[in-house]
Amino acid sequence: MTSAPPSSAETTAPAPGGAAGTPTAPRRAAEPHVEGRHPGFSVAALCIAGLAVSLSQTMVVPIQGRLPELLGSTASATAWVITVTLLAGAVAMPVAGRLADMLGKQRVVVASVVMLLVGCVISALASSLVPMLIGRGLQGAAMGLVPVGIALMRQITPPQMAGQAIAAMSATLGVGGAIALPLSAWIVQVGSWHWLFWVSAALSAAVLVFVLAAVPHVHDKHEGLTFDVPGAVGLTVGLVALLVGISRGSSWGWGSASTLGCIIGGVVVLAAWVALELRVAQPLVDIRTTARPVVLLTNVAAIAVGFGLMAQMVAIPQLLQLPEATGVGLGQSLLAAGLWMAPSGLMMMICAPISARMIATIGPKPTLAIGAFVIGLGYVAGRLLMGAPWQLLVATIVIAAGVGIAYAAMPTLVLDAVPAAEAGSAVGVNALARAIGTTTASAVIATIITSDLGPTGAPSADSFHTSFVVGGAVAILGALVALTIPARRRQRAA
């Protein structure tokens, strides 16, 4: 194995083969591999980069209600400040994965951090809607960093570190959202709302330097690959239409022509896109690989786990912040509600090494099923414990533990089932599946909560009960799907 200094300079290394008489998996043997002098620094750089990207997605939540006033626009128009980030991230993840397979993963990671930095600066300088949308769109597009970083982990870390590295990188998707709410609420309280984006910009600049210094470049681009432009356009149009319909359905009305038109149109375009990708020599997403039972069922489980993550992030903050006079709420401020939610992010990080150990011991399939089942238990706790903030804290911690365990198992299953030339793209599709789950949960839970109002006009206790039941049921369904994933035939050491 070749050692290289922790810099962005291009480095080559032979594919790892292991000791004589010890066969390695075909995918691993086909991957170029290089480690820096301090692979821990490489892992830390990628994890902090993922955290910065995830953090930027949620930082705007505390000022969401004030955006019409701050940007001089209408509430319906400023709602796109949230939506555009979601859409850009959903499209960017599979596209970034394909570009990583073509150009090299470290290069795409660096480009994603640059996009994040530029997007944060544009948003910080914005005083009207259009530049804010541009900045937020760039921040969303930077989400492509996370699946590419996960795919890169196996190539820049020693085998004994790879599992924990992937687990930690996967956890950043949930950790950033958990700590963003109290952090951004505090920033808004002590300073201008523009500082939300200046802080993110400063973090992004530091991350860029860290990545350039600590993450080595591997010659992992695959010669002869081309970029499928029609496939990228079709995927973009189909995903945007579908996710706009889902995300805006609770405000437009699920039976409205706009909602149905977007959802049905998105499904039709995506069906046509699948037919196109099956006829292309080098598709953006290899549908045949994605349709393999291991990959397909893992992605279905990813939708359920993403739903489980987001359902409580929609319901519990509302329950905490509703006035006590409603007979349902717990009367917490925005900052206090964020602080009650923050320990869940810490729990995800704590569970990352636990998940890695479980994957090494019992395999990724049982680990994914256990994680999804723990999420379901967390919702059972939430359904039974709604009388005090500390009770909801218990529920969020249990849910976060399940998410931390499950998130690490999914990319491991995918990476073990696809060729090295499609690793980035395959993990990008898996991340997209999680994003579809979180988007669906946000819309469904918001609809449940707002459709059942009590005598005071606030959401009733039954609406929150139903939200917890739905979140738990979807998580348990994800656990059952995980159990149907075909077991990977283990190679026996000589």
Side-chain angles (χ1 to χ4, degrees):
M1 185 174 294
T2 302
S3 178
S7 69
S8 61
E10 295 188 3
T11 316
T12 59
T22 306
T24 56
R27 190 200 64 78
R28 293 287 289 167
E31 275 188 336
H33 190 93
V34 61
E35 296 168 19
R37 291 177 183 169
H38 304 288
F41 284 108
S42 301
V43 172
L46 289 172
C47 288
I48 294 173
L51 183 65
V53 171
S54 180
L55 193 71
S56 70
Q57 313 301 301
T58 317
M59 288 285 281
V60 76
V61 170
I63 61 170
Q64 184 175 2
R66 297 174 53 200
L67 285 176
E69 170 194 350
L70 298 174
L71 300 177
S73 187
T74 63
S76 59
T78 56
W80 288 97
V81 173
I82 304 290
T83 305
V84 72
T85 309
L86 161 73
L87 299 178
V91 172
M93 286 185 281
V95 171
R98 178 62 173 180
L99 290 174
D101 293 333
M102 292 173 55
L103 306 175
K105 299 179 184 66
Q106 188 257 13
R107 291 169 175 165
V108 174
V109 168
V110 171
S112 298
V113 177
V114 170
M115 278 196 299
L116 177 63
L117 174 58
V118 173
C120 291
V121 171
I122 292 174
S123 298
L125 296 173
S127 57
S128 60
L129 182 61
V130 172
M132 177 62 77
L133 292 178
I134 294 173
R136 291 291 291 167
L138 288 172
Q139 292 172 55
M143 280 295 293
L145 176 152
V146 176
V148 175
I150 290 172
L152 179 58
M153 286 291 192
R154 280 190 171 184
Q155 296 176 252
I156 62 172
T157 58
Q160 66 271 20
M161 183 186 290
Q164 293 189 18
I166 291 173
M169 185 73 180
S170 301
T172 61
L173 286 169
V175 174
I179 67 176
L181 190 58
L183 177 61
S184 55
W186 176 76
I187 291 174
V188 170
Q189 283 189 3
V190 301
S192 167
W193 65 273
H194 292 282
W195 281 102
L196 290 174
F197 302 105
W198 285 123
V199 169
S200 293
L203 177 60
S204 303
V207 165
L208 179 60
V209 174
F210 196 9
V211 168
L212 288 171
V215 180
H217 174 66
V218 187
H219 276 293
D220 57 348
K221 69 177 182 179
H222 297 271
E223 302 295 340
L225 293 182
T226 59
F227 188 75
D228 177 17
V229 175
V233 173
L235 178 64
T236 300
V237 173
L239 277 180
V240 168
L242 177 63
L243 294 179
V244 165
I246 293 174
S247 62
R248 306 293 289 163
S250 57
S251 57
W252 288 348
W254 290 102
S256 69
S258 299
T259 300
L260 294 177
C262 284
I263 293 177
I264 295 173
V267 171
V268 170
V269 171
L270 288 175
W273 171 77
V274 169
L276 172 67
E277 294 294 274
L278 289 172
R279 291 173 171 81
V280 175
Q282 294 190 22
L284 177 72
V285 176
D286 191 326
I287 301 299
R288 293 179 178 86
T289 298
T290 305
R292 293 177 181 176
V294 172
V295 180
L296 178 62
L297 293 172
T298 300
N299 289 338
V300 172
I303 295 174
V305 172
F307 193 104
L309 168 66
M310 183 55 66
Q312 52 96 20
M313 295 183 72
V314 174
I316 292 180
Q318 291 193 54
L319 185 56
L320 287 167
Q321 292 179 72
L322 281 174
E324 293 181 355
T326 62
V328 178
L330 300 174
Q332 303 293 300
S333 67
L334 176 62
L335 178 58
L339 291 173
W340 283 112
M341 298 289 292
S344 63
L346 178 62
M347 178 56 66
M348 289 184 201
M349 291 304 297
I350 292 173
C351 286
I354 296 174
S355 178
R357 180 64 62 86
M358 293 172 64
I359 291 171
T361 303
I362 64 175
K365 170 185 169 179
T367 301
L368 174 56
I370 291 170
F373 183 72
V374 171
I375 295 172
L377 291 181
Y379 279 103
V380 172
R383 170 63 179 82
L384 299 176
L385 303 174
M386 289 177 49
W390 70 266
Q391 295 178 339
L392 293 176
L393 172 63
V394 171
T396 60
I397 287 177
V398 175
I399 292 171
V403 172
I405 293 171
Y407 263 23
M410 290 185 288
T412 303
L413 282 163
V414 171
L415 286 170
D416 283 343
V418 301
E422 299 171 18
S425 176
V427 178
V429 173
N430 180 254
L432 171 61
R434 285 183 265 184
I436 291 174
T438 58
T439 303
T440 304
S442 180
V444 170
I445 300 303
T447 300
I448 292 172
I449 291 175
T450 57
S451 62
D452 188 3
L453 303 179
T456 62
S460 67
D462 287 342
S463 67
F464 290 103
H465 291 161
T466 303
S467 298
F468 290 131
V469 170
V470 170
V474 173
I476 297 299
L477 178 62
L480 296 177
V481 170
L483 291 175
T484 66
I485 296 174
R488 183 170 177 266
R489 185 173 299 171
R490 293 180 177 270
Q491 292 187 333
R492 301 172 64 182

